[in-house]
């Protein structure tokens, strides 16, 4: 994935999330989402503060001065909770302004700083280029979590493929089972999670349905060779 490609996904996803948020009436903000304990208020608060947190990483890359996404997991959660109590118009403004700020940070990051290593909220050191991918994932998938019409079928096909690589790659790195072999019916690609030579669960379906499933956002039309779809672990 090139940086230009990832930036495009992040920007298109930002526009997609903004459109779905724009279509959401104020009265819909109190409704629950599929994310445990989160209303749409929490979700919008999180997506806004996530942009600010990622902008801190870009700032870190620009200045060389360590600037973590969040000071602690507790601080992250507290910020989301507090944000959720804002008025609907303030929540909309938060999401919009934070996204613009992040985009400006990317625009202004000098070319020779993009490979500077920064630390994700999970503690992993990654080059600053990775911030574009991190944000792309957030905005596309959380648009679906808003629950007012966004769908994985709207995702750019190459972004769907990249999601499958990313999620199975993460499980492989962490050696997190179950052993899987994802076989999209609409692509030649195969995605494996090998766990101690265990016989993988072969799961077939469209790339979109597979991506939705591994991202923990529901089961579309998938078939497992073993009959039952295996229980998946968490992704992020
Ligand atoms: Zn998130």
């Amino acid at each position: 994935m090139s940086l230009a490609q990832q930036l495009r996904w992040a920007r298109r996803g930002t526009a997609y999330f903004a459109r779905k948020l724009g279509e959401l009436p104020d009265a819909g903000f109190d409704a629950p989402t599929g994310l445990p304990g989160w209303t749409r208020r929490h979700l919008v608060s999180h997506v806004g503060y996530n942009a600010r947190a990622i902008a801190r990483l870009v700032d870190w890359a620009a200045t060389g001065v360590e600037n973590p996404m969040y000071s602690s997991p507790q601080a992250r959660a507290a910020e989301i909770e507090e944000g959720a109590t804002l008025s609907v118009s303030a929540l909309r403004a938060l999401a919009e302004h934070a996204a613009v700020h992040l985009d400006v940070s990317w625009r202004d990051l000098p070319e020779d700083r993009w490979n500077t290593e920064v630390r994700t909220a999970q503690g992993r050191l990654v080059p600053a280029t990775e911030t574009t991918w991190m944000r792309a994932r957030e905005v596309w998938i959380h648009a679906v979590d808003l629950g007012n019409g966004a769908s994985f079928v709207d995702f750019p096909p190459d972004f769907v493929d990249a999601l499958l690589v990313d999620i199975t790659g993460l499980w492989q790195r962490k050696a997190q089972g179950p052993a899987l072999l994802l076989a999209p019916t609409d692509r030649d690609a195969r995605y494996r999670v090998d766990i101690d030579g265990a016989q993988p669960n072969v799961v077939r379906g469209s790339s979109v349905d597979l991506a939705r499933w591994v991202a923990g956002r529901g089961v579309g039309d998938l078939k497992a060779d073993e009959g039952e779809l295996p229980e998946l672990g968490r992704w992020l």
Side-chain angles (χ1 to χ4, degrees), residues 138-214:
E138 288 288 316
V139 284
W140 283 106
I141 294 178
H142 286 324
V144 173
D145 292 331
L146 278 175
N148 67 328
S151 163
F152 277 65
V153 299
D154 294 337
F155 292 12
D158 51 4
F159 176 71
V160 168
D161 297 344
L163 268 180
L164 286 165
V165 170
D166 187 52
I167 299 173
T168 54
L170 178 88
W171 286 339
Q172 184 66 70
R173 269 201 310 282
K174 290 163 64 177
Q176 178 181 315
L180 290 173
L181 172 59
L182 306 182
T185 49
D186 52 354
R187 307 269 202 283
D188 291 330
R190 294 291 178 266
Y191 306 90
R192 305 182 63 100
V193 180
D194 290 307
I195 306 292
D196 295 332
Q199 190 67 26
N201 294 273
V202 181
V203 181
R204 302 173 197 278
S206 69
S207 298
V208 163
D209 282 344
L210 287 167
R212 179 188 287 126
W213 179 57
V214 294

Side-chain angles (χ1 to χ4, degrees), residues 5-203:
Q5 175 68 283
Q6 295 186 73
L7 263 174
R8 260 198 306 277
W9 287 332
R11 288 180 172 141
R12 276 186 67 184
T14 298
Y16 185 69
F17 182 88
R19 190 162 77 243
K20 291 299 161 190
L21 190 58
E23 289 167 7
L24 186 68
D26 288 4
F29 272 61
D30 293 330
T33 67
L35 300 169
W38 278 13
T39 64
R40 283 170 170 151
R41 291 173 161 280
H42 292 87
L43 181 62
V44 175
S45 164
H46 162 59
V47 171
Y49 287 129
N50 170 267
R52 288 199 182 162
I54 291 179
R56 283 194 279 278
L57 296 186
V58 180
D59 181 60
W60 174 352
T63 61
V65 178
E66 183 158 344
N67 197 355
M69 287 184 78
Y70 305 101
S71 54
S72 68
Q74 293 76 13
R76 172 184 178 276
E79 185 179 53
I80 293 167
E81 280 297 334
E82 226 174 275
T85 67
L86 292 170
S87 69
V88 167
S89 61
L91 274 168
R92 291 188 193 276
L94 166 66
E96 188 183 334
H97 295 163
V100 169
H101 174 102
L102 174 58
D103 200 49
V104 169
S105 303
W106 279 329
R107 190 198 63 196
D108 292 345
L109 186 63
E111 205 168 327
D112 63 346
R113 307 301 300 173
W114 278 95
N115 284 321
T116 309
E117 285 200 319
V118 295
R119 197 181 303 282
T120 69
Q122 288 80 33
R124 209 153 62 87
L125 276 175
V126 297
T129 50
E130 182 95 2
T131 59
T132 58
W133 171 250
M134 288 161 57
R135 183 60 180 170
R137 270 184 336 210
E138 288 288 316
V139 284
W140 283 106
I141 294 178
H142 286 324
V144 173
D145 292 331
L146 278 175
N148 67 328
S151 163
F152 277 65
V153 299
D154 294 337
F155 292 12
D158 51 4
F159 176 71
V160 168
D161 297 344
L163 268 180
L164 286 165
V165 170
D166 187 52
I167 299 173
T168 54
L170 178 88
W171 286 339
Q172 184 66 70
R173 269 201 310 282
K174 290 163 64 177
Q176 178 181 315
L180 290 173
L181 172 59
L182 306 182
T185 49
D186 52 354
R187 307 269 202 283
D188 291 330
R190 294 291 178 266
Y191 306 90
R192 305 182 63 100
V193 180
D194 290 307
I195 306 292
D196 295 332
Q199 190 67 26
N201 294 273
V202 181
V203 181

